[in-house]
Amino acid sequence: MKSKRSALLKWESYSVTIAKLSGYFSKISVGLHHLLSDEVMISNESKITVLVIDDEPIVCESISDCLETIGFIAFKAENGRVGLEVFRREKPDIILADLRMPEVDGLDVLAAVTKESPETPIIVVSGTGVLQDVIEALRLGAWDYITKPIEDMAILEHSVCKCLERASLLVENRKYREYLEAEVGKRSAELEERTRALEKTNERLKKEIADHRQTSDRLRQAQKTEAIGTLASGIAHDFNNILFPIFGYTQMTMRELSEESSARSNLEEVLKAAKRAKELVRQILTFCRQSEKEQKRMELQPLIKEVLKLLRASLPANIGIHRNIDGKCGPVLADPTQIHQVMMNLCTNAYSAMREKGGTLEVTLKEIEFGPDNAAFQSHIPAGSYLKLTVSDTGHGMTNEVAERVFDPYFTTKDIGQGTGLGLSAVHAIVKNHNGFITVHSEAGKGTAFHVYLPVVTGFVAPEAVSDKSLPGGDESILVVDDEEQTVHMEKQMLEQLGYHVTARNTVSAALEAFNREPENFDLVITDMIMPGMTGLELSEKIMRLRPDIPIILCTGFSERSTEEKAKAMGIREYVAKPLLQGEIAGLIRRVLDQRNS
């Protein structure tokens, strides 16, 4: 009787415990619904799976039945080997494992499960209570340790609930960590993309700033050129007016002297100096304005010598000039002013390279046969005779990277304010326009050499010189108008020596008065362009109203294309630039008068 009553009481105790576990797991399911993501959420419809591993069938069965009663799905395994197979196949939510089992014991199961699925909780349920076993089990990954027999099922209830709660938190933490890592990766990718976009924007802004600076530099350069051109035009006008009487009086005096006279020889040197001054003014004007270039047959030797003379005066004493110019070189088809610019730019660059330490500027000119056997030959350059002009220095030289860009517009290695980067690009353009080409050879620390190749013109015949004794003249009447008194007197005397009847006036009003009084008595009018009160164009217009057929020669100290075109459109016969040589004036006057008579 007593044994039956005791068994009944024990069964009632188990029933109460099972009821409590059932209610508790209901709470766990609700809690897990909020804690876990959608993929791992446990709802009322999805049950928790448990794997019970025990080699004692009665114990394994009783624990499994107890857990199934409160809502678990239980998988049973009679030893560790089978348990690991079920674990890998079914992926249970929690494992209860005995410690002492045949084939594979509980410690081996612990080690394998912990390694393969560290988030799966394992509770050791063992009949041994040896402290060393407990420590080893916990070391291998056991989440809890319960000794058999289980006197109070509340202990199992508490252990299972705590392990599942801890497992759910671990899963949630892992997923949250993965989420954070994914977000960090996403944000990092976005930041990298934005950084790349900012870098592109920055590069674009840098380019825009550089373009703006280049545009500003070009504008400033254009303004400087315009200002220099305006100043140069005024200087040129006055300087040419000064040169004109020098030419005239020198040549008239030379005509009165014998060929053997030392005075005539001296005057020839004066005339040469005046011609150089005339050419210098023309070069300055060409550099300071946009004008049409005229290529003609010319020899480079005199121009190179002239440039070196000009440079010698401006170069410091620690820079020497060595020239090796072959006087037998043939002529080229070129614009003298542009070739002068090429020489000046190349020599100026050479000076810049030697400015600090000094050195030697060497200029070489020779004629070569250019073809496939030449080291500098290029397939697109026609073979033939070329003049090779070399300008070299012993300065600091250039690296290969700099030499490759040396002809690029606005590229310069000079400090701000010391160069525009336009000199060598202009040289390259000029040489190319002359059907030639240019190369550069440089070594850092040893110096630089620029080689200019220009095609030689064949079949050139030098013009026959005209003797001053055979200057053409006549007996026509000429009105000369110029506000420079020296020029008026010189022209009057020069033309009278040629046989003409000359009326000279140095004011516009006096010239108009003389012409209005006897308009039919004049065969030709020679007038200056820039005069006080009225320009030569305006004077010509008034004169042509009275005599539409009167030929007019308009002289100017500063020639402009637009003014020349306007003058020709008005009917003015010739538009010439001062100063003129006596032979040029004589031939010009005779040609205009003969055209009128023809």
PDB file of all heavy atoms in Angstrom, residues 1-2 27 59 61 66 97 144 151 175 205 227 274 358 379 438 447 462 487 540 547 586 598:
ATOM      1  N   MET A   1       0.831  -1.204   0.000  1.00  0.00           N
ATOM      2  CA  MET A   1       0.000   0.000   0.000  1.00  0.00           C
ATOM      3  C   MET A   1       0.859   1.244   0.000  1.00  0.00           C
ATOM      4  O   MET A   1       0.594   2.204  -0.707  1.00  0.00           O
ATOM      5  CB  MET A   1      -0.872   0.012   1.256  1.00  0.00           C
ATOM      6  CG  MET A   1      -2.352  -0.294   1.163  1.00  0.00           C
ATOM      7  SD  MET A   1      -3.284   0.059  -0.246  1.00  0.00           S
ATOM      8  CE  MET A   1      -4.155   1.426   0.351  1.00  0.00           C
ATOM      9  N   LYS A   2       1.875   1.218   0.899  1.00  0.00           N
ATOM     10  CA  LYS A   2       2.746   2.376   1.006  1.00  0.00           C
ATOM     11  C   LYS A   2       3.495   2.601  -0.303  1.00  0.00           C
ATOM     12  O   LYS A   2       3.692   3.737  -0.741  1.00  0.00           O
ATOM     13  CB  LYS A   2       3.736   2.177   2.140  1.00  0.00           C
ATOM     14  CG  LYS A   2       3.088   2.312   3.520  1.00  0.00           C
ATOM     15  CD  LYS A   2       4.144   2.181   4.605  1.00  0.00           C
ATOM     16  CE  LYS A   2       3.521   2.324   6.002  1.00  0.00           C
ATOM     17  NZ  LYS A   2       4.522   2.213   7.084  1.00  0.00           N
ATOM     18  N   LYS A  27       6.029  30.443 -22.722  1.00  0.00           N
ATOM     19  CA  LYS A  27       6.592  31.782 -22.542  1.00  0.00           C
ATOM     20  C   LYS A  27       7.876  31.949 -23.368  1.00  0.00           C
ATOM     21  O   LYS A  27       8.141  32.991 -23.941  1.00  0.00           O
ATOM     22  CB  LYS A  27       6.906  32.026 -21.068  1.00  0.00           C
ATOM     23  CG  LYS A  27       5.656  32.111 -20.189  1.00  0.00           C
ATOM     24  CD  LYS A  27       6.040  32.338 -18.736  1.00  0.00           C
ATOM     25  CE  LYS A  27       4.788  32.401 -17.831  1.00  0.00           C
ATOM     26  NZ  LYS A  27       5.140  32.583 -16.406  1.00  0.00           N
ATOM     27  N   VAL A  59      16.435   5.585 -19.522  1.00  0.00           N
ATOM     28  CA  VAL A  59      16.683   7.006 -19.228  1.00  0.00           C
ATOM     29  C   VAL A  59      16.436   7.839 -20.471  1.00  0.00           C
ATOM     30  O   VAL A  59      15.802   8.910 -20.427  1.00  0.00           O
ATOM     31  CB  VAL A  59      18.129   7.210 -18.729  1.00  0.00           C
ATOM     32  CG1 VAL A  59      18.433   8.709 -18.557  1.00  0.00           C
ATOM     33  CG2 VAL A  59      18.347   6.469 -17.438  1.00  0.00           C
ATOM     34  N   GLU A  61      14.531   7.177 -23.006  1.00  0.00           N
ATOM     35  CA  GLU A  61      13.110   7.206 -23.340  1.00  0.00           C
ATOM     36  C   GLU A  61      12.348   8.107 -22.392  1.00  0.00           C
ATOM     37  O   GLU A  61      11.481   8.887 -22.811  1.00  0.00           O
ATOM     38  CB  GLU A  61      12.564   5.771 -23.271  1.00  0.00           C
ATOM     39  CG  GLU A  61      11.166   5.630 -23.812  1.00  0.00           C
ATOM     40  CD  GLU A  61      11.134   5.775 -25.319  1.00  0.00           C
ATOM     41  OE1 GLU A  61      12.154   5.445 -25.984  1.00  0.00           O
ATOM     42  OE2 GLU A  61      10.110   6.253 -25.860  1.00  0.00           O
ATOM     43  N   CYS A  66       9.280  12.979 -21.467  1.00  0.00           N
ATOM     44  CA  CYS A  66       9.025  14.175 -20.637  1.00  0.00           C
ATOM     45  C   CYS A  66       9.087  15.445 -21.480  1.00  0.00           C
ATOM     46  O   CYS A  66       8.221  16.316 -21.359  1.00  0.00           O
ATOM     47  CB  CYS A  66      10.035  14.211 -19.491  1.00  0.00           C
ATOM     48  SG  CYS A  66       9.858  15.664 -18.422  1.00  0.00           S
ATOM     49  N   ALA A  97      23.172  15.161 -23.519  1.00  0.00           N
ATOM     50  CA  ALA A  97      24.058  14.033 -23.784  1.00  0.00           C
ATOM     51  C   ALA A  97      24.599  13.452 -22.485  1.00  0.00           C
ATOM     52  O   ALA A  97      24.957  14.186 -21.556  1.00  0.00           O
ATOM     53  CB  ALA A  97      25.200  14.469 -24.682  1.00  0.00           C
ATOM     54  N   ASP A 144      25.777  23.353 -19.673  1.00  0.00           N
ATOM     55  CA  ASP A 144      25.341  23.083 -18.289  1.00  0.00           C
ATOM     56  C   ASP A 144      25.672  21.619 -17.971  1.00  0.00           C
ATOM     57  O   ASP A 144      25.928  20.810 -18.879  1.00  0.00           O
ATOM     58  CB  ASP A 144      23.840  23.347 -18.117  1.00  0.00           C
ATOM     59  CG  ASP A 144      23.475  23.624 -16.657  1.00  0.00           C
ATOM     60  OD1 ASP A 144      24.378  23.472 -15.798  1.00  0.00           O
ATOM     61  OD2 ASP A 144      22.306  23.969 -16.395  1.00  0.00           O
ATOM     62  N   GLU A 151      16.290  14.436  -9.493  1.00  0.00           N
ATOM     63  CA  GLU A 151      15.294  14.349  -8.434  1.00  0.00           C
ATOM     64  C   GLU A 151      14.157  15.315  -8.670  1.00  0.00           C
ATOM     65  O   GLU A 151      13.001  15.024  -8.377  1.00  0.00           O
ATOM     66  CB  GLU A 151      15.957  14.641  -7.080  1.00  0.00           C
ATOM     67  CG  GLU A 151      17.010  13.638  -6.669  1.00  0.00           C
ATOM     68  CD  GLU A 151      16.401  12.286  -6.373  1.00  0.00           C
ATOM     69  OE1 GLU A 151      15.210  12.216  -6.029  1.00  0.00           O
ATOM     70  OE2 GLU A 151      17.133  11.282  -6.512  1.00  0.00           O
ATOM     71  N   LYS A 175      23.622  37.543 -35.691  1.00  0.00           N
ATOM     72  CA  LYS A 175      22.920  38.163 -36.832  1.00  0.00           C
ATOM     73  C   LYS A 175      23.032  39.679 -36.784  1.00  0.00           C
ATOM     74  O   LYS A 175      23.189  40.335 -37.825  1.00  0.00           O
ATOM     75  CB  LYS A 175      21.449  37.723 -36.835  1.00  0.00           C
ATOM     76  CG  LYS A 175      21.260  36.276 -37.226  1.00  0.00           C
ATOM     77  CD  LYS A 175      19.808  35.940 -37.337  1.00  0.00           C
ATOM     78  CE  LYS A 175      19.635  34.519 -37.870  1.00  0.00           C
ATOM     79  NZ  LYS A 175      20.089  34.423 -39.267  1.00  0.00           N
ATOM     80  N   LEU A 205      37.840  70.246 -60.921  1.00  0.00           N
ATOM     81  CA  LEU A 205      38.023  71.624 -60.452  1.00  0.00           C
ATOM     82  C   LEU A 205      39.461  72.084 -60.675  1.00  0.00           C
ATOM     83  O   LEU A 205      39.703  73.237 -61.070  1.00  0.00           O
ATOM     84  CB  LEU A 205      37.652  71.717 -58.970  1.00  0.00           C
ATOM     85  CG  LEU A 205      36.161  71.629 -58.641  1.00  0.00           C
ATOM     86  CD1 LEU A 205      35.951  71.613 -57.134  1.00  0.00           C
ATOM     87  CD2 LEU A 205      35.394  72.795 -59.262  1.00  0.00           C
ATOM     88  N   ALA A 227      49.378  96.331 -75.547  1.00  0.00           N
ATOM     89  CA  ALA A 227      49.969  97.562 -75.016  1.00  0.00           C
ATOM     90  C   ALA A 227      51.330  97.825 -75.647  1.00  0.00           C
ATOM     91  O   ALA A 227      51.657  98.968 -76.039  1.00  0.00           O
ATOM     92  CB  ALA A 227      50.104  97.462 -73.495  1.00  0.00           C
ATOM     93  N   ALA A 274      71.756 102.329 -90.703  1.00  0.00           N
ATOM     94  CA  ALA A 274      70.374 102.797 -90.843  1.00  0.00           C
ATOM     95  C   ALA A 274      69.473 101.667 -91.348  1.00  0.00           C
ATOM     96  O   ALA A 274      68.317 101.538 -90.913  1.00  0.00           O
ATOM     97  CB  ALA A 274      70.331 103.987 -91.807  1.00  0.00           C
ATOM     98  N   GLY A 358      77.045  80.365 -66.224  1.00  0.00           N
ATOM     99  CA  GLY A 358      77.736  80.724 -67.445  1.00  0.00           C
ATOM    100  C   GLY A 358      77.941  79.518 -68.343  1.00  0.00           C
ATOM    101  O   GLY A 358      77.507  78.399 -68.044  1.00  0.00           O
ATOM    102  N   SER A 379      60.015  59.594 -91.979  1.00  0.00           N
ATOM    103  CA  SER A 379      59.424  59.151 -93.241  1.00  0.00           C
ATOM    104  C   SER A 379      58.517  60.204 -93.867  1.00  0.00           C
ATOM    105  O   SER A 379      58.368  60.253 -95.083  1.00  0.00           O
ATOM    106  CB  SER A 379      58.643  57.850 -93.009  1.00  0.00           C
ATOM    107  OG  SER A 379      57.629  58.051 -92.039  1.00  0.00           O
ATOM    108  N   ILE A 438      61.998  70.407 -86.370  1.00  0.00           N
ATOM    109  CA  ILE A 438      62.951  70.738 -85.317  1.00  0.00           C
ATOM    110  C   ILE A 438      63.060  69.554 -84.365  1.00  0.00           C
ATOM    111  O   ILE A 438      62.059  68.888 -84.076  1.00  0.00           O
ATOM    112  CB  ILE A 438      62.529  72.019 -84.559  1.00  0.00           C
ATOM    113  CG1 ILE A 438      63.564  72.365 -83.467  1.00  0.00           C
ATOM    114  CG2 ILE A 438      61.149  71.883 -83.961  1.00  0.00           C
ATOM    115  CD1 ILE A 438      63.333  73.726 -82.836  1.00  0.00           C
ATOM    116  N   GLY A 447      73.832  69.939 -71.001  1.00  0.00           N
ATOM    117  CA  GLY A 447      73.433  70.960 -71.960  1.00  0.00           C
ATOM    118  C   GLY A 447      72.359  70.483 -72.919  1.00  0.00           C
ATOM    119  O   GLY A 447      71.907  69.334 -72.859  1.00  0.00           O
ATOM    120  N   ALA A 462      70.447  85.440-107.747  1.00  0.00           N
ATOM    121  CA  ALA A 462      70.485  86.710-107.015  1.00  0.00           C
ATOM    122  C   ALA A 462      70.065  87.849-107.923  1.00  0.00           C
ATOM    123  O   ALA A 462      70.434  87.899-109.107  1.00  0.00           O
ATOM    124  CB  ALA A 462      71.903  86.954-106.483  1.00  0.00           C
ATOM    125  N   THR A 487      62.293 115.853 -93.219  1.00  0.00           N
ATOM    126  CA  THR A 487      61.881 114.917 -94.259  1.00  0.00           C
ATOM    127  C   THR A 487      61.456 115.664 -95.520  1.00  0.00           C
ATOM    128  O   THR A 487      61.799 115.254 -96.648  1.00  0.00           O
ATOM    129  CB  THR A 487      60.724 114.044 -93.751  1.00  0.00           C
ATOM    130  OG1 THR A 487      61.149 113.323 -92.591  1.00  0.00           O
ATOM    131  CG2 THR A 487      60.267 113.061 -94.806  1.00  0.00           C
ATOM    132  N   SER A 540      44.133 113.085 -99.025  1.00  0.00           N
ATOM    133  CA  SER A 540      44.006 112.489-100.360  1.00  0.00           C
ATOM    134  C   SER A 540      42.571 112.568-100.861  1.00  0.00           C
ATOM    135  O   SER A 540      42.324 112.806-102.062  1.00  0.00           O
ATOM    136  CB  SER A 540      44.464 111.018-100.310  1.00  0.00           C
ATOM    137  OG  SER A 540      45.813 110.929 -99.907  1.00  0.00           O
ATOM    138  N   ARG A 547      40.751 116.550-108.284  1.00  0.00           N
ATOM    139  CA  ARG A 547      41.407 115.874-109.408  1.00  0.00           C
ATOM    140  C   ARG A 547      41.285 114.372-109.226  1.00  0.00           C
ATOM    141  O   ARG A 547      42.183 113.716-108.671  1.00  0.00           O
ATOM    142  CB  ARG A 547      42.886 116.245-109.460  1.00  0.00           C
ATOM    143  CG  ARG A 547      43.202 117.609-110.038  1.00  0.00           C
ATOM    144  CD  ARG A 547      43.379 117.559-111.545  1.00  0.00           C
ATOM    145  NE  ARG A 547      44.263 116.504-111.997  1.00  0.00           N
ATOM    146  CZ  ARG A 547      45.596 116.591-112.054  1.00  0.00           C
ATOM    147  NH1 ARG A 547      46.206 117.684-111.670  1.00  0.00           N
ATOM    148  NH2 ARG A 547      46.313 115.573-112.528  1.00  0.00           N
ATOM    149  N   ALA A 586      62.893 106.448-106.294  1.00  0.00           N
ATOM    150  CA  ALA A 586      63.008 106.765-107.726  1.00  0.00           C
ATOM    151  C   ALA A 586      62.196 105.769-108.552  1.00  0.00           C
ATOM    152  O   ALA A 586      61.439 106.158-109.462  1.00  0.00           O
ATOM    153  CB  ALA A 586      64.470 106.759-108.143  1.00  0.00           C
ATOM    154  N   SER A 598      50.279 105.624-119.406  1.00  0.00           N
ATOM    155  CA  SER A 598      50.022 104.509-120.314  1.00  0.00           C
ATOM    156  C   SER A 598      48.546 104.369-120.616  1.00  0.00           C
ATOM    157  O   SER A 598      47.692 104.857-119.886  1.00  0.00           O
ATOM    158  CB  SER A 598      50.549 103.220-119.676  1.00  0.00           C
ATOM    159  OG  SER A 598      49.895 102.958-118.454  1.00  0.00           O
TER     160      SER A 598
END
